[in-house]
Amino acid sequence: MTDQASPDTLRSELRSWLAANKPQGWRDITDHKAFADSQKQWFLKLVEAGYAIPHWPKEWPGGGRSLAEQKVIYEEMAAADTPRLLLSFISTYHAYATLHECANDEQKTRYLPGILKGETWCQGFSEPGAGSDLAAIKCKAERDSRPDGDVYVVNGQKIWSTMAQYADMCLLLVRTSSEGAKQAGITYLLMDMKSPGVTVRPIEQIQGDEEFAEIFLDNVEVPVSQRVGEEGAGWAVAQATLASERGLTLLELSNRMRGALSRVAELIREHGHAEDRGILRDFGALVTQVDAASALADRFLENRIAGIERVGDASIVKNAYSRALRAYSLLGVRLGGMAEQYRAPITFGDLNTGNWMADFMNSYAWTIAGGSEEVQRNIIAERMLGMPREPKGWVL
Amino acid sequence: MIELSELRDSAAKAFPAGSILPNREESWQLASEMGWLLVDLPEDLGGLGLGRAAGAAIIQELGKVLCTAPLVPALLALRGIAGAPDFDGKAQLVERICGGEYVPLNMLPGSVRAAPDGSLSGLVPGLFEADMASTVLVGSDDGYRLIPLDAEGVTLVERPLWDESRRIFDLVLAGVPASAATLVADGEAAAALHDEIARSAMLYVAADSLGGAAATFDLTVEYLKMRKQFDRPLAMFQALKHRCADLKIALTVAEALFETRAAAADTASVVELGAMKGHATDTFRLIVEDAIQLHGGIGLTQEYPVHHYMKRAMLNLQLCGSLDRLQEVTGRAALAAYA
Ligand SMILES: Cc1cc2nc3c(=O)[nH]c(=O)nc-3n(C[C@H](O)[C@H](O)[C@H](O)COP(=O)(O)OP(=O)(O)OC[C@H]3O[C@@H](n4cnc5c(N)ncnc54)[C@H](O)[C@@H]3O)c2cc1C
């Protein structure tokens, strides 16, 4: 185990481990199910080696890594061209943060170890009528008694749920009351995806992938013991889930993007632009933008480890990353020219694949998901800069 | 060890927010009394040996009030003098500077030629506040030289700037006798010195820009909260809120890159620091552009302060290499690195 290793030792250790263990041929997988299987195997291998959850605390095998060590891991993973952990993304960030911060001991003992055994989670927050205005959710849960304990009977629909078709469990937001403020009637449940009445339908995404799905809930019974926090207190719990997504995950992603700047360099050379000053400038500006977004993600994590975080910080990190990602893929599309307009097989599990049109389309995931760019701007302006909210009370 | 935050605090106390464009001579006096000329000077030469990052932290604070004291050219000259191989009178000169004498380095590339008899001719632009100096350190393609301003053949010509927070001079050399100038470094020594000075210069101009950018941004948000139109504060309009949020993002990102590169400034390459400087100055440009626009008519007046920031931002873009140049160099270096 590598708990106290210095970053340099860790780096060389990781390099030799990756040389022997990194997944081969994952970029050539064209079937989504096969991709999900390969993701699971890769995750389990990383867990065993102690590299899967560097951001968890040190009670967990492979957790408790310093910022410097986490950076080394992400950099080396990107440099060795290993796939991003998309399937376990929600489990190791969102589910972990929610359970760790808000769940009771019984729930923690029951679910946290499962994540490291490869149990995967999805996030059932958004609904067709509740996107940016998440508190407007309608998915309804009514309490009922059963011989072996009370349950919530859930009816409704969730949408845009990433990898829900492969998930074992779901972080589910439901409405238990329509009285008072809309936030006050929301309850947070942990739902088994194999429960009777759960139907999942994958949605084909802009680039031809099936990364997210719809979840239909028809009289699904969720035991009351599976509730996180009190009934009606789900909104606060949901904030813990969302906070883990904005900011923390971006240390990994921005380091991966940094590593993938080599793809732009290749493109510049292949197309004979190595002496084109205009293109060199654009590349220089991009390199600096990516470096700056990474520097910001580093600083965010440092501050978080030191216990300093202001409202809005994570929103800034997210928008800085998503803008850099868009700029990165757009430069690729531009330099690639017509060649990028011919459809080419896509790579699952990476945002910087070098299939520039696919990467460009996929970059929108980061300006929309997890609270859109515009919603982050509202947060920054209103809650960080103290600019006044619009008057309430407008009716349609 | 003095923390950077302590230096920042004392700089902010000496030059409080809101009192912009403090008097030049008094500011210089204060800067010297505060010991800010000593921060980057090695201890064996009588300095504090805190390094460039310390200088940058102070300059960032002074940038907020558009400080008129020419600390940047002074610190650059001192780094050059301190870093040069020993020359006659070096220790005495360092001592005089530490005591408050202003010796600037030119902030724009100069061209100097020695005639066969050793006498010097040429043009050296970019000497800030040179009317406060009696000696200047001239960096040119031909090395580094100390030149007393009262020497034969030396003329200073002021070049009025749009940025009135600074005064800038051309130094015209017309057959200055060889004996008047002191050659501080040439050849390889000059090239090495150039890199050392360039690291500091990139960092300081970026620091000045980010200080100015932060102040301009705060001024703008405060104005939007106060100014009412259509029966509400302008700050309530989402179109304007989103612009402010974007500026806040741009500023925070630029500050993060600045702090990261400042912490590694002794080992980072000049190219990396230059990329950071380009980014910081361009962020200042972005913020002043929106600041003027979001102020409406008052933004175009001499009376309201925002124009001073815009003028400094545009000048900073030109110092130490233009944005286009720095981006090109960065692109080239990255292309080579990914070979
Ligand atoms: C790739 C991807 C993965 C996702 N994964 C998940 C998941 O796993 N689980 C889950 O629950 N959800 C998931 N989502 C859903 C995501 O959270 C929502 O798409 C997002 O919150 C936006 O909601 P919406 O799509 O309904 O757009 P809308 O809210 O309808 O927004 C449409 C447009 O209006 C803008 N807008 C909305 N409100 C405002 C406002 N107040 N001010 C200014 N502009 C505004 C938005 O920014 C956007 O540009 C995912 C989305 C994507 C794209």
Side-chain angles (χ1 to χ4, degrees):
Chain A
M1 202 46 57
T2 50
D3 259 7
Q4 297 305 319
S6 83
D8 288 340
T9 325
L10 174 63
R11 196 182 292 279
S12 57
E13 189 186 282
L14 191 53
R15 277 191 189 165
S16 42
W17 185 83
L18 281 167
N21 293 286
K22 73 173 184 184
Q24 306 291 335
W26 63 275
R27 288 188 180 275
D28 303 325
I29 299 177
T30 50
D31 174 71
H32 206 253
K33 174 77 176 67
F35 164 67
D37 290 343
S38 73
Q39 283 266 309
K40 190 165 220 154
Q41 286 159 19
W42 175 229
F43 176 71
L44 291 174
K45 218 170 191 179
L46 287 172
V47 170
E48 200 184 299
Y51 303 129
I53 44 155
H55 59 291
W56 286 28
K58 63 172 180 299
E59 303 87 272
W60 298 96
R65 302 269 193 188
S66 67
L67 172 66
E69 289 175 315
Q70 294 188 39
K71 273 173 61 73
V72 166
I73 294 179
Y74 299 134
E75 276 165 15
E76 291 302 317
M77 292 288 167
D81 198 30
T82 65
R84 204 193 132 205
L85 292 170
L86 182 65
L87 183 70
S88 30
F89 183 60
I90 304 277
S91 324
T92 55
Y93 287 102
H94 307 59
Y96 169 74
T98 312
L99 291 164
H100 177 71
E101 284 168 39
C102 308
N104 61 35
D105 286 344
E106 198 192 318
Q107 290 163 340
K108 282 185 204 173
T109 325
R110 176 151 176 211
Y111 291 116
L112 284 173
I115 291 177
L116 299 186
K117 295 197 189 89
E119 208 163 70
T120 59
W121 289 68
C122 66
Q123 182 189 10
F125 282 20
S126 305
E127 295 179 10
S132 300
D133 187 9
L134 182 60
I137 57 160
K138 288 206 179 74
C139 185
K140 196 166 158 191
E142 285 173 308
R143 210 166 157 147
D144 209 351
S145 37
R146 293 286 178 276
D148 46 356
D150 284 7
V151 296
Y152 287 105
V153 180
V154 186
N155 280 287
Q157 183 189 350
K158 294 288 170 180
I159 196 166
W160 319 127
S161 189
T162 301
M163 303 297 267
Q165 59 273 48
Y166 305 108
D168 302 298
M169 292 294 299
C170 178
L171 303 165
L172 187 69
L173 280 192
V174 294
R175 177 157 302 285
T176 41
S177 160
S178 31
E179 305 287 303
K182 54 188 178 178
Q183 285 84 356
I186 294 175
T187 298
Y188 202 112
L189 301 177
L190 308 175
M191 179 180 77
D192 190 332
M193 291 294 282
K194 288 177 287 295
S195 313
V198 176
T199 312
V200 181
R201 209 189 68 189
I203 305 173
E204 203 178 344
Q205 220 159 305
I206 185 169
Q207 78 277 33
D209 192 358
E210 286 178 352
E211 219 177 271
F212 48 36
E214 281 176 295
I215 308 174
F216 298 92
L217 304 161
D218 180 17
N219 285 321
V220 178
E221 296 190 358
V222 181
V224 170
S225 61
Q226 302 276 87
R227 188 185 67 209
V228 182
E230 295 304 308
E231 185 170 302
W235 186 249
V237 181
Q239 301 316 306
T241 315
L242 293 172
S244 73
E245 178 168 28
R246 297 175 191 165
L248 206 53
T249 57
L250 297 178
L251 181 75
E252 172 179 4
L253 293 181
S254 52
N255 275 301
R256 287 187 75 101
M257 176 160 45
R258 253 181 118 184
L261 284 167
S262 60
R263 297 190 193 288
V264 186
E266 269 165 40
L267 202 57
I268 291 174
R269 261 193 299 269
E270 271 169 25
H271 289 254
H273 295 315
E275 284 305 320
D276 183 318
R277 296 175 67 188
I279 287 173
L280 287 169
R281 269 179 217 152
D282 290 345
F283 184 45
L286 176 72
V287 168
T288 309
Q289 187 180 3
V290 172
D291 277 355
S294 296
L296 182 67
D298 285 1
R299 197 162 73 144
F300 176 79
L301 193 64
E302 258 162 11
N303 284 346
R304 187 171 269 199
I305 290 170
I308 313 162
E309 189 181 341
R310 290 158 310 166
V311 57
D313 282 350
S315 301
I316 294 182
V317 180
K318 180 168 185 276
N319 277 19
Y321 171 76
S322 63
R323 291 325 295 184
L325 184 64
R326 181 76 51 76
Y328 169 91
S329 52
L330 188 58
L331 185 60
V333 171
R334 199 183 111 199
L335 297 178
M338 186 58 207
E340 299 307 318
Q341 299 309 311
Y342 298 113
R343 197 181 266 265
I346 57 169
T347 305
F348 303 120
D350 191 12
L351 289 158
N352 313 102
T353 67
N355 178 343
W356 297 101
M357 259 306 276
D359 287 354
F360 176 62
M361 294 185 283
N362 219 354
S363 73
Y364 282 83
W366 278 91
T367 48
I368 296 174
S372 71
E373 195 170 66
E374 290 74 21
V375 165
Q376 308 302 334
R377 287 191 182 109
N378 289 343
I379 294 173
I380 295 164
E382 290 170 0
R383 300 180 52 197
M384 195 169 210
L385 304 175
M387 300 173 88
R389 287 165 189 258
E390 278 120 289
K392 282 211 171 4
W394 190 80
V395 281
L396 195 65
Chain B
M1 182 72 191
I2 302 171
E3 297 280 338
L4 291 190
S5 60
E6 292 173 47
L7 287 175
R8 280 180 204 282
D9 290 348
S10 59
K13 213 173 267 167
F15 289 92
S19 332
I20 66 161
L21 298 170
N23 172 279
R24 182 178 75 159
E25 277 72 20
E26 286 168 20
S27 302
W28 174 256
Q29 181 84 27
L30 183 56
S32 145
E33 281 164 16
M34 296 290 290
W36 292 338
L37 288 163
L38 308 181
V39 289
D40 177 46
L41 188 68
E43 281 167 293
D44 58 6
L45 287 170
L48 296 171
L50 300 174
R52 311 176 156 89
I58 294 165
I59 288 161
Q60 194 178 6
E61 289 306 313
L62 301 193
K64 291 181 183 169
V65 296
L66 298 169
C67 188
T68 48
L71 197 57
V72 174
L75 284 176
L76 295 181
L78 190 52
R79 187 165 259 269
I81 293 161
D86 263 341
F87 59 88
D88 245 8
K90 175 167 164 175
Q92 293 84 334
L93 180 61
V94 168
E95 202 172 318
R96 268 159 49 203
I97 294 173
C98 293
E101 180 179 335
Y102 175 55
V103 178
L105 175 78
N106 50 308
M107 297 289 293
L108 293 170
S111 167
V112 177
R113 286 285 162 268
D117 68 351
S119 68
L120 303 170
S121 296
L123 176 68
V124 183
L127 281 157
F128 282 50
E129 320 300 329
D131 57 334
M132 282 169 50
S134 49
T135 304
V136 297
L137 179 64
V138 166
S140 72
D141 42 7
D142 190 37
Y144 287 87
R145 287 186 178 82
L146 285 161
I147 299 184
L149 294 177
D150 60 1
E152 188 194 326
V154 172
T155 326
L156 273 186
V157 183
E158 182 170 1
R159 305 285 306 276
L161 283 169
W162 289 111
D163 175 12
E164 290 175 25
S165 70
R166 290 158 169 165
R167 290 174 65 191
I168 201 170
F169 295 80
D170 282 353
L171 183 72
V172 183
L173 307 176
V176 179
S179 59
T182 309
L183 184 67
V184 164
D186 63 355
E188 271 176 34
L193 204 55
H194 178 268
D195 273 10
E196 284 305 311
I197 294 174
R199 286 194 173 85
S200 296
M202 299 298 186
L203 200 58
Y204 294 162
V205 175
D208 181 71
S209 300
L210 292 175
T216 314
F217 178 70
D218 289 347
L219 194 71
T220 307
V221 172
E222 286 317 305
Y223 183 76
L224 293 176
K225 285 183 187 172
M226 183 271 291
R227 167 86 175 156
K228 287 203 175 77
Q229 287 293 284
F230 303 98
D231 303 319
R232 55 168 78 180
L234 289 174
M236 200 180 270
F237 289 101
Q238 197 187 49
L240 306 186
K241 281 196 234 183
H242 280 196
R243 277 166 81 167
C244 290
D246 281 343
L247 298 181
K248 177 72 182 172
I249 294 164
L251 179 61
T252 311
V253 168
E255 286 169 346
L257 186 65
F258 165 73
E259 282 168 24
T260 302
R261 297 262 152 103
D266 295 340
T267 49
S269 69
V270 176
V271 175
E272 286 171 315
L273 288 161
M276 183 279 293
K277 180 265 168 187
H279 186 256
T281 48
D282 200 37
T283 304
F284 193 13
R285 190 262 321 147
L286 179 82
I287 289 176
V288 294
E289 271 198 63
D290 263 6
I292 300 264
Q293 177 65 23
L294 296 181
H295 275 83
I298 202 168
L300 292 187
T301 63
Q302 288 279 345
E303 187 187 328
Y304 192 79
V306 70
H307 72 101
H308 292 298
Y309 288 98
M310 121 92 74
K311 290 166 182 170
R312 196 180 261 220
M314 301 319 278
L315 175 56
N316 282 0
L317 269 169
Q318 299 307 322
L319 303 174
C320 311
S322 70
L323 181 62
D324 283 341
R325 174 86 193 120
L326 294 170
Q327 285 178 338
E328 182 190 332
V329 167
T330 307
R332 235 178 247 289
L335 199 60
Y338 292 119

